[in-house]
Amino acid sequence: MSYKAPRGTRDIFGINVLKMNLLELKAREVFKKHGFEEVKTPIFEEASLFTRSIGQATDIVEKEMYIFEDKKGRKLALRPEGTASLARAFVEHRMDISNPVGRFFYIGEMFRYERPQAGRYRQFHQIGAEFYGNSSPTADAEIIVLAKDLLAAIGIDKISVNINSLGCEKCRPFFKEVLVKYFESLHNLCQDCQRRLKTNPLRLLDCKIDSYKFTEIPKISSCLCNSCKDDFHSVQSLLKSIGCAYTVDEKLVRGLDYYTRTIFEICSDMVGSHDAIAAGGRYDNLVKEIGGPNIPAVGFALGSERVLIAAQNIGFFNNFKGPEKIFIAIADQELLNNAFAFAMKIARYGFKGNKDISVFGPVNDKNLTSQLKFADKMQASKTIVFAREEFNKGKLLIKNMKNRTQEEVSISDV
Ligand SMILES: [Zn+2]
Ligand SMILES: [Zn+2]
């Protein structure tokens, strides 16, 4: 009997864990600079939180959620995304009062029952930020800049930013009507489109099967109310003011229902296809919708797996090795205690000023040759040998495992 990780999941270990940690470290640095605070929410929530906020007629709710009942018959779901969970926490803890700045971020696992493919897993990692309580276009622009800066911090600077406005509760119904009329005039739409025409006509813009038939799609820009027009215009002028290039893509929609006004996606052709690696937008009604106060919000999320593929393809990790590995060997068993004390000391304080090290040894092995073999196997860059003759002179032997040279240094120097 042998076991494998469930389909669509994977174990992350070795260098891949270091890469993911580096991405998360960079994210935390960027978020800190913009005053965003971390929130950790549970991995599962009441299932209805997601059906209500993401929307009944979305792919996520229709077919991708992991829903289960607990022993008391409560219907729970593994979180498919972070925005709804964070909004729930925001409302539950009245963070609008305790944290008037309203800037939060999250890093963690999400779950969607999708067909596994390159860079897409059923358990995957997202990094996202949410900005509550600010309806100004500066918040939209800052979220876009934040997403862009985060990608740049991991080497992904050749990107394109696409933006669109989905309108507000006043003007969107009008656009929906115009859209429905247009789509009804087309024939032989796929089954998904026919169904969505009734539940969520905006999603038809996203259809990969029928997109070639959509030649004269009504423009949402011509249906926006004045306030939405002004708002979208301001977002664009703010982006221009900081030199952030963007394209207005009137066909851009998001797979979640809660978005209003500005939405955006950031694409990179370093993932294989020219696909979005980060996306987000404004969702002014979500907090109210799930029982909270009437507080606007805007946010974004990125998928760590796909971002790491892009970073890898760009060569960001070419010289990435992780900490320097140092092995402590003993040529004389009687020096075991000294070697052990030395290993613990450099683990705490670093080796010759370098604190980015991993220390291994000493091991219980009388044979120095086999200790050195082990040091090679674990890819130590240096082996520090405790030998009687040198030790009596207050010295240690440092073997460079790469070029096979060695030097003597005074114990007091390291
Ligand atoms: Zn509007
Ligand atoms: Zn279709």
Side-chain angles (χ1 to χ4, degrees):
M1 180 95 184
S2 68
Y3 293 100
K4 279 185 176 166
R7 182 167 151 81
T9 69
R10 61 174 187 149
D11 302 304
I12 309 171
F13 57 95
I15 193 90
N16 290 327
V17 157
L18 298 179
K19 288 176 183 173
M20 188 161 286
N21 287 348
L22 182 67
L23 170 63
E24 294 178 357
L25 181 85
K26 297 274 182 194
R28 286 191 167 94
E29 277 171 15
V30 174
F31 287 139
K32 187 183 76 185
K33 286 181 190 156
H34 289 263
F36 282 73
E37 284 179 20
E38 185 160 3
V39 179
K40 289 182 184 288
T41 64
I43 272 175
F44 57 88
E45 299 269 357
E46 272 181 57
S48 61
L49 170 69
F50 301 115
T51 36
R52 186 142 175 217
S53 55
I54 296 168
Q56 201 77 53
T58 56
D59 282 354
I60 296 177
V61 168
E62 275 177 354
K63 43 194 178 195
E64 293 169 0
M65 271 218 287
Y66 279 91
I67 297 183
F68 60 97
E69 267 183 23
D70 72 1
K71 289 182 181 176
K72 288 268 164 68
R74 284 173 284 236
K75 221 177 174 195
L76 302 170
L78 298 181
R79 58 183 186 194
E81 57 109 46
T83 301
S85 301
L86 214 129
R88 194 266 311 136
F90 180 81
V91 172
E92 182 176 341
H93 304 291
R94 288 310 305 262
M95 292 184 192
D96 53 316
I97 294 164
S98 64
N99 189 324
V101 171
R103 297 171 181 223
F104 305 97
F105 74 92
Y106 58 85
I107 294 178
E109 292 84 357
M110 308 292 158
F111 305 84
R112 287 185 203 172
Y113 194 89
E114 284 187 281
R115 200 170 59 81
Q117 47 179 305
R120 288 201 194 272
Y121 298 91
R122 289 180 175 172
Q123 174 174 329
F124 58 102
H125 295 76
Q126 273 192 348
I127 299 177
E130 317 289 355
F131 188 173
Y132 294 95
N134 191 336
S135 59
S136 156
T138 54
D140 303 60
E142 184 165 358
I143 283 289
I144 294 173
V145 171
L146 191 61
K148 231 184 120 201
D149 283 359
L150 206 165
L151 293 171
I154 196 105
I156 306 170
D157 48 6
K158 287 202 183 66
I159 44 114
S160 53
V161 178
N162 300 319
I163 62 173
N164 194 16
S165 173
L166 295 180
C168 64
E169 59 219 318
K170 279 185 226 125
C171 55
R172 199 183 328 182
F174 172 56
F175 178 60
K176 274 190 183 172
E177 254 174 56
V178 175
L179 260 190
V180 169
K181 256 186 215 147
Y182 167 74
F183 285 127
E184 278 175 349
S185 72
L186 302 174
H187 300 286
N188 301 324
L189 295 181
C190 77
Q191 286 202 332
D192 271 348
C193 280
Q194 289 182 26
R195 195 168 37 88
R196 284 178 178 149
L197 196 52
K198 295 185 184 73
T199 54
N200 192 355
L202 253 63
R203 287 301 309 284
L204 271 72
L205 298 172
D206 224 8
C207 181
K208 303 269 185 297
I209 302 168
D210 296 318
S211 59
Y212 75 96
K213 297 177 191 159
F214 304 159
T215 45
E216 278 159 64
I217 297 176
K219 293 204 159 186
I220 192 162
S221 56
S222 55
C223 300
L224 294 179
C225 68
N226 283 339
S227 147
C228 283
K229 258 183 208 157
D230 288 350
D231 185 88
F232 194 42
H233 182 79
S234 301
V235 172
Q236 294 182 55
S237 87
L238 283 161
L239 291 177
K240 274 183 202 142
S241 76
I242 52 156
C244 172
Y246 64 88
T247 310
V248 174
D249 176 0
E250 294 223 25
K251 280 170 84 176
L252 182 64
V253 288
R254 309 278 318 123
L256 305 93
D257 274 359
Y258 49 65
Y259 285 109
T260 48
R261 295 195 160 177
T262 310
I263 56 163
F264 70 95
E265 62 177 24
I266 299 182
C267 300
S268 158
D269 38 23
M270 298 310 286
V271 204
S273 53
H274 192 75
D275 263 345
I277 50 173
R282 181 165 279 286
Y283 52 96
D284 287 344
N285 304 320
L286 177 63
V287 176
K288 188 174 59 187
E289 205 117 288
I290 60 167
N294 188 9
I295 286 180
V298 53
F300 86 94
L302 58 79
S304 301
E305 280 78 5
R306 292 167 59 70
V307 165
L308 287 173
I309 290 176
Q312 177 80 38
N313 291 343
I314 281 164
F316 183 75
F317 293 114
N318 283 359
N319 299 310
F320 183 70
K321 289 192 279 301
E324 182 181 10
K325 290 180 180 172
I326 297 177
F327 186 73
I328 312 292
I330 39 176
D332 182 337
Q333 283 294 309
E334 280 174 11
L335 294 173
L336 179 71
N337 291 4
N338 304 83
F340 178 74
F342 178 80
M344 295 305 104
K345 188 182 134 198
I346 65 168
R348 269 183 207 139
Y349 304 111
F351 176 70
K352 285 184 162 178
N354 179 12
K355 289 198 168 182
D356 191 21
I357 57 166
S358 299
V359 183
F360 302 84
V363 292
N364 198 6
D365 184 341
K366 290 197 175 80
N367 186 332
L368 182 62
T369 315
S370 74
Q371 289 178 51
L372 292 174
K373 266 190 194 147
F374 178 72
D376 265 336
K377 226 181 191 172
M378 58 161 276
Q379 297 181 316
S381 63
K382 289 190 185 78
T383 297
I384 299 175
V385 185
F386 276 71
R388 175 53 72 191
E389 197 180 317
E390 286 79 11
F391 186 76
N392 286 347
K393 293 185 281 180
K395 298 212 157 152
L396 296 170
L397 276 177
I398 300 179
K399 282 181 186 289
N400 183 318
M401 306 303 283
K402 298 268 144 62
N403 60 19
R404 298 279 155 191
T405 57
Q406 69 176 44
E407 55 169 339
E408 262 182 31
V409 293
S410 300
I411 297 178
S412 52
D413 283 351
V414 291

